[in-house]
Amino acid sequence: MAKFKTLDDLGEVAGKVALVRVDLNLPMQEGRASDVTRVEAVRPTILELADKGAKILLLAHFGRPKGQRNSTMSTSYVQDDVEDVLGKEVMYISEVSGPVVEQSIGILRNGDIGLLENVRFWPGEEANDPEFARAIAAHGDFYVNDAFSAAHRAHASTEGLARLLPAYAGRAMEAELKALDAALGNPQAPVAAVVGGAKVSTKLDVLENLVGKVQHLIIGGGMANTFLAARGVDVGKSLCEHDLTATANRIMDSADHAGCTVHLPYDVVVAKEFAANPPSVRICNVHEVAADEMILDVGPQAVEALADVLKTCRTLVWNGPMGAFEIEPFDRATVALAKTAAALTEGGSLISVAGGGDTVAALAHAGAKDDFTFVSTAGGAFLEWMEGKQLPGVAALTA
């Protein structure tokens, strides 16, 4: 793992200005955030810098204003939520550079916090314009990136600033990078990966990267149907990308050459309609799916066998549900396997790292989220990391 500096490498910061990139892109309902997890994630970094007497300027985006001011996407909307989580007053600053910011820094005392306007109001942010980055950097003494979820974008506030100022990983970024390194960078073998979700097409790069890195690849969700179809199984009217069966076969061949075992379900839960507890639900062998049935979950025997696989592993990477977990009874495989992984993690035999939007929701639904070693809330960045891509915001910290 490439070396990066953390807050432990900071010298005396009292009176210095810290430009801190955070993720405050919160889901809103009636003018307040409906979920403040992202603020809670960056609280340790902000409070640590405040305790050390730095003047903190928070940089964040909110929505997609496409390089123009938009009053409905101002970071002032999340000011109250940030104050509530931090337990401190936060000064809203209506610019990201220039005299207004300079004046605000003069008003801030050591340990105070300012929230800059939405960086995406300026086209220079997404264009990673060096002039725009320099204008922001002019106000800071050092830069801290605590927004892994935005690290896959080479923007001025995620990548440009890190090249202009002494750059450090915040506590949330540090934890994320250490967890990811333990999962795929330098993992304890054997390694298992659970990859679920609806479509193979959205996870092609993930699958192709993983077969060379893990010993067990467990495929669930709708994408398992495409792999079953590639093996000659008639999947009835299940969700299936029939045009990708050749690709699925190529991935399975690559896995064979790399010594990676691909696990596909051999018993499945099927129904004639996708609805909660439909009368037509049954469990059958994959070769017994009727023409008018759809596969909606992995069957109990396969789940038991997969649990046995996890018991032989030291590391697990999880992305995506095993079945249509939002609707009962098609959540059972996801819940059962997640509970197994959580118990093995608690018992100390497994390092478990999970990420991606649906994954977080699925593990929370299973009551297993808090028992995994690490659960990343970063969607796109987590996926690109699983694809083996270099994340610009991370690369800039290690440069």
Side-chain angles (χ1 to χ4, degrees):
M1 180 176 185
K3 248 331 250 144
F4 56 91
K5 286 182 177 162
T6 71
L7 300 191
D8 296 331
D9 300 301
L10 274 173
E12 181 61 45
V13 298
K16 292 189 174 173
V17 178
L19 290 171
V20 185
R21 180 58 160 99
V22 290
D23 184 352
L24 301 179
N25 200 22
L26 310 179
M28 305 296 281
Q29 263 174 358
E30 293 170 13
R32 289 304 297 257
S34 55
D35 181 356
V36 292
T37 309
R38 287 172 167 174
V39 192
E40 286 165 351
V42 296
R43 179 173 55 198
T45 292
I46 297 168
L47 295 183
E48 183 176 336
L49 290 169
D51 288 345
K52 288 178 175 171
K55 295 182 178 187
I56 298 143
L57 296 182
L58 301 178
L59 284 157
H61 72 270
F62 185 57
R64 294 175 183 245
K66 299 188 163 53
Q68 292 179 332
R69 281 191 184 266
N70 181 329
S71 60
T72 64
M73 295 183 196
S74 169
T75 51
S76 60
Y77 275 98
V78 298
Q79 181 183 359
D80 290 348
D81 297 297
V82 174
E83 288 183 334
D84 287 352
V85 172
L86 297 179
K88 287 172 89 76
E89 260 187 63
V90 173
M91 178 199 277
Y92 163 69
I93 302 166
S94 61
E95 299 286 338
V96 293
S97 65
V100 172
V101 177
E102 201 55 52
Q103 201 178 355
S104 303
I105 292 169
I107 297 167
L108 292 173
R109 294 159 312 194
N110 291 2
D112 281 356
I113 301 157
L115 172 60
L116 297 171
E117 186 50 282
N118 186 344
V119 284
R120 289 191 182 170
F121 280 3
W122 290 267
E125 163 65 1
E126 294 192 53
N128 199 3
D129 174 16
E131 286 301 312
F132 180 65
R134 271 196 286 275
I136 300 173
H139 301 291
D141 295 301
F142 63 98
Y143 168 77
V144 176
N145 192 342
D146 215 22
F148 177 79
S149 52
H152 58 311
R153 306 191 189 283
H155 291 172
S157 69
T158 57
E159 204 258 2
L161 286 175
R163 306 210 179 272
L164 297 170
L165 291 170
Y168 304 85
R171 293 303 182 200
M173 175 75 89
E174 178 188 355
E176 185 105 32
L177 295 180
K178 283 180 176 169
L180 300 188
D181 191 53
L184 279 188
N186 198 14
Q188 294 182 35
V191 185
V194 169
V195 183
K199 296 182 170 183
V200 174
S201 52
T202 60
K203 303 270 174 92
L204 270 180
D205 292 348
V206 171
L207 295 167
E208 286 174 346
N209 182 45
L210 288 177
V211 291
K213 292 196 168 178
V214 307
Q215 287 69 54
H216 296 278
L217 179 58
I218 296 165
I219 299 178
M223 59 199 299
N225 303 333
T226 303
F227 278 83
L228 289 169
R231 286 268 165 101
V233 173
D234 186 345
V235 295
K237 61 171 190 175
S238 307
L239 174 67
C240 178
E241 293 174 290
H242 291 283
D243 56 328
L244 286 180
T245 51
T247 305
N249 277 323
R250 191 183 75 235
I251 290 167
M252 287 190 278
D253 287 345
S254 302
D256 273 351
H257 289 303
C260 166
T261 306
V262 177
H263 299 269
L264 294 171
Y266 45 83
D267 67 327
V268 287
V269 182
V270 298
K272 291 183 180 176
E273 56 182 317
F274 181 37
N277 300 301
S280 58
V281 173
R282 68 186 189 101
I283 295 162
C284 66
N285 183 283
V286 291
H287 295 288
E288 294 165 357
V289 179
D292 62 347
E293 289 179 320
M294 57 182 98
I295 299 169
L296 293 167
D297 201 12
V298 174
Q301 282 180 302
V303 172
E304 212 169 294
L306 293 174
D308 288 339
V309 169
L310 293 189
K311 286 169 191 165
T312 70
C313 291
R314 296 286 294 135
T315 306
L316 168 67
V317 188
W318 186 313
N319 175 256
M322 298 299 290
F325 79 98
E326 305 90 343
I327 294 186
E328 291 184 0
F330 311 116
D331 59 344
R332 286 183 189 163
T334 302
V335 169
L337 202 60
K339 282 189 187 301
T340 298
L344 293 169
T345 305
E346 258 196 313
S349 69
L350 188 70
I351 293 166
S352 53
V353 174
D358 278 357
T359 312
V360 180
L363 297 184
H365 172 74
K369 179 164 127 352
D370 295 341
D371 295 322
F372 269 57
T373 309
F374 189 83
V375 177
S376 170
T377 53
F382 187 85
L383 214 56
E384 287 201 17
W385 165 78
M386 281 188 80
E387 292 168 359
K389 291 180 180 166
Q390 192 177 51
L391 307 179
V394 173
L397 292 178
T398 58

